[in-house]
Amino acid sequence: MKFARNVALVLAVVSSSCVGAFSTSRINNAMNKASSNAATMLRETNGGLDTDLILPSFSTKEEYISYLKKAGSLPDGFALGTAKGTFVSVEAPAMGPLPIKATVIHLTEGPTDSWAAVFTSNRFPGCPIKVGKDRLAKGHPLQALVINNKVSNVCPGGDGIAAAESVCAAVAEGLNLPGGANTVLPSSTGVIGWRLPAKELAEDVVPKAIEAIQEDSAFAAAEAIMTTDRYPKLRSKTLSNGVRVVGVAKGAGMIEPNMATMLGYIMTDATIEKSKLQTMLSAACNRSFNSISIDGDESTSDTVVAIASGLKPLSSEDELQAALFEVCEGLSADLVRNGEGTGHVMRVKISNFPGSEYDARRMGRHLVNSPLVKCAISGNDPNTGRIAGAIGSFMGKFFPEESVDEMSLTLGGRTIFNNGKFVLEGQEVEEELSNHMGDAQLGEHDDFPQHQKFVEIGIDFGGEGSDVTVLGSDLTKEYVAVNADYRS
């Protein structure tokens, strides 16, 4: 099969827990300017072929899916296919045949040396992570990616690396890749500890995915890589000279990067040096995927990969970096909003933190990971003491010498704490704060994002320091239900 277009892929694979911290003001400014009217919010950039910086509101799942499909046009030179299959787990055969999906992404114009990656820091990484690190260290070019859901191939009883390599070999054979399996990068997500059903993938699912390869849209991949996700995530951006960046991601639980079982793939047809791409990707991950948390658990399978075919000239490296920021930050916010059982998304804006951006993000994650804060947000309960308590706990443990005397807190834009005292003024304020939370509420079972609202928390330490924004989710009964019965 021949394709008229050529692509450079930026691949982002990250964990499944959701707190998001972004150190940019672009999204905040855009949110302030965005209208609540969906038609107004949709700016129809590039004829609607790009997603909006702030997604519009949607009334139905069909409306959301249509929006993503239109915005998911692949960059030149990319093709991808997906397919379904079944397997029986060696570890739990009584569960019977279980579904599994595979996605194959193909750089149709040949292998590229220009790719970069960031992997999980978990000390028990998945076998695909080990294979990916080896590919990166040895400088192998890439021409394809293969992703499966349902089984993460982490510390399995068998030879997980050999299993991953056998699936890569099936992809290389099916696509007639001249560089063989070494030019294929594997990714897996799903149950930890189970053996990868390599035979079923290599002999059945991967060949069917290759047969289904198309060059039109990335949407199929956004759907196929999902596990407990309730809906697909996709973001796109076209640069001024026509270079295109398209990203998809999955992840709904076990998400608190520094990289985890969240998977993300970002494609671009820009020309960029390998070292510069690595720097850009790392910066984008720090501002997005490494700034989110759903449940505080870091996965074993996080991978972020950027791969560029160099088929289009790049007029501005700054513009590409900005596009990577926008796509990665958008996907990160989507992950939190789509978290397992998520009913609210908290957006914590931290100003003038007396330390580095890294430490400011740590404090933000500490706050949004507090079970007491999460439960209060879930119940639309403005129990503001829990917010202050979580902040004080972090500062006491890690920054005991720093003053908090000038710290102020806001909830929904209203000051609730200042000069060491709470500023709470009776039932009217109580209702205002509760209504702010209720207005940002999401359906725990929704299969599309109805809105892009947040529970807004502001923390200002006064003076001068680091500014970041962190996203996190609440804690609901649905989260417990999903994770109490995850494997089935």
Side-chain angles (χ1 to χ4, degrees):
M1 177 180 294
K2 293 186 178 181
F3 303 93
R5 299 181 301 171
N6 303 297
V7 170
L9 166 72
V10 176
L11 183 169
V13 182
V14 189
S15 126
S16 298
S17 55
C18 277
V19 173
F22 312 134
S23 56
T24 176
S25 62
R26 291 181 301 111
I27 284 184
N28 299 341
N29 293 337
M31 177 65 84
N32 292 335
K33 295 177 181 178
S35 165
S36 60
N37 185 294
T40 302
M41 291 177 69
L42 181 57
R43 66 175 184 257
E44 289 293 338
T45 301
N46 193 26
L49 295 180
D50 291 344
T51 51
D52 294 283
L53 185 63
I54 305 299
L55 297 187
S57 299
F58 300 100
S59 301
T60 64
K61 178 181 179 180
E62 290 73 24
E63 185 179 320
Y64 174 66
I65 297 302
S66 175
Y67 176 87
L68 292 191
K69 285 183 176 179
K70 186 175 182 181
S73 178
L74 284 167
D76 288 349
F78 257 111
L80 63 84
T82 67
K84 302 176 182 178
T86 61
F87 74 103
V88 175
S89 167
V90 174
E91 292 77 10
M95 297 178 72
L98 298 171
I100 191 168
K101 294 180 181 179
T103 299
V104 174
I105 300 175
H106 181 208
L107 278 74
T108 62
E109 300 303 311
T112 177
D113 291 312
S114 183
W115 67 283
V118 179
F119 298 103
T120 182
S121 61
N122 194 299
R123 293 301 298 274
F124 293 104
C127 293
I129 301 296
K130 296 178 181 180
V131 173
K133 287 183 175 181
D134 182 69
R135 300 264 201 275
L136 187 64
K138 292 179 178 177
H140 287 302
L142 290 185
Q143 192 174 357
L145 302 141
V146 58
I147 308 104
N148 71 270
N149 71 353
K150 196 60 179 180
V151 178
S152 63
N153 194 13
V154 175
C155 303
D159 189 338
I161 291 179
E165 290 285 15
S166 69
V167 176
C168 290
V171 173
E173 181 180 356
L175 293 174
N176 297 313
L177 302 183
N182 283 335
T183 60
V184 182
L185 187 74
S187 298
S188 298
T189 181
V191 178
I192 293 174
W194 283 8
R195 292 170 176 83
L196 185 73
K199 185 175 186 294
E200 291 87 342
L201 286 168
E203 298 181 3
D204 176 39
V205 190
V206 163
K208 290 190 295 187
I210 292 174
E211 289 179 7
I213 271 185
Q214 48 82 29
E215 63 169 345
D216 296 326
S217 176
F219 178 78
E223 278 195 313
I225 61 177
M226 295 193 305
T227 49
T228 56
D229 306 67
R230 286 171 285 144
Y231 49 82
K233 276 78 65 180
L234 182 151
R235 295 282 179 143
S236 60
K237 179 75 172 180
T238 303
L239 277 58
S240 60
N241 70 337
V243 166
R244 188 153 172 78
V245 179
V246 180
V248 298
K250 64 79 55 181
M254 198 176 187
I255 291 178
E256 176 166 316
N258 303 304
M259 312 313 295
T261 192
M262 183 237 121
L263 306 181
Y265 305 85
I266 307 161
M267 298 158 272
T268 179
D269 41 17
T271 299
I272 185 72
E273 293 178 10
K274 182 181 182 71
S275 61
K276 291 181 179 179
L277 185 58
Q278 181 69 63
T279 299
M280 288 183 178
L281 180 65
S282 297
C285 287
N286 283 335
R287 277 174 50 158
S288 58
F289 300 119
N290 284 344
S291 298
I292 66 170
S293 174
I294 288 173
D295 47 22
D297 283 327
E298 181 186 348
S299 166
T300 54
S301 302
D302 280 355
T303 304
V304 177
V305 177
I307 178 171
S309 61
L311 298 174
K312 285 186 178 179
L314 184 61
S315 59
S316 169
E317 292 180 6
D318 289 343
E319 191 178 12
L320 177 60
Q321 179 71 85
L324 291 176
F325 282 150
E326 180 175 326
V327 169
C328 290
E329 289 171 353
L331 289 172
S332 295
D334 295 341
L335 291 175
V336 182
R337 198 168 299 280
N338 184 218
E340 291 169 351
T342 293
H344 300 77
V345 179
M346 292 176 273
R347 180 160 63 179
V348 182
K349 298 179 182 179
I350 302 171
S351 304
N352 302 308
F353 181 81
S356 66
E357 288 187 0
Y358 172 80
D359 286 324
R361 286 194 292 268
R362 286 178 58 211
M363 195 205 73
R365 290 197 296 267
H366 182 85
L367 172 61
V368 298
N369 284 334
S370 164
L372 291 177
V373 172
K374 284 177 172 286
C375 290
I377 299 297
S378 176
N380 297 325
D381 179 11
N383 195 334
T384 53
R386 294 182 176 181
I387 298 174
I391 297 169
S393 171
F394 179 86
M395 297 302 291
K397 289 178 181 177
F398 302 108
F399 291 86
E401 303 303 319
E402 296 291 344
S403 173
V404 295
D405 293 343
E406 296 183 18
M407 188 192 77
S408 62
L409 301 178
T410 61
L411 179 59
R414 172 179 280 276
T415 298
I416 59 173
F417 186 92
N418 195 28
N419 295 323
K421 297 181 180 180
F422 284 98
V423 186
L424 302 173
E425 303 167 355
Q427 187 62 28
E428 183 177 343
V429 174
E430 177 86 0
E431 292 178 358
E432 176 187 329
L433 298 178
S434 181
N435 289 339
H436 169 68
M437 296 177 180
D439 186 56
Q441 191 158 1
L442 299 158
E444 299 168 19
H445 301 277
D446 288 351
D447 55 4
F448 69 97
Q450 295 190 32
H451 62 73
Q452 301 288 306
K453 298 177 182 179
F454 300 90
V455 174
E456 302 282 5
I457 300 173
I459 308 168
D460 191 342
F461 285 86
E464 296 182 356
S466 299
D467 301 339
V468 301
T469 300
V470 176
L471 304 184
S473 64
D474 61 359
L475 180 60
T476 64
K477 294 179 181 179
E478 178 63 14
Y479 176 85
V480 177
V482 169
N483 285 283
D485 198 25
Y486 173 73
R487 296 189 304 170
S488 58

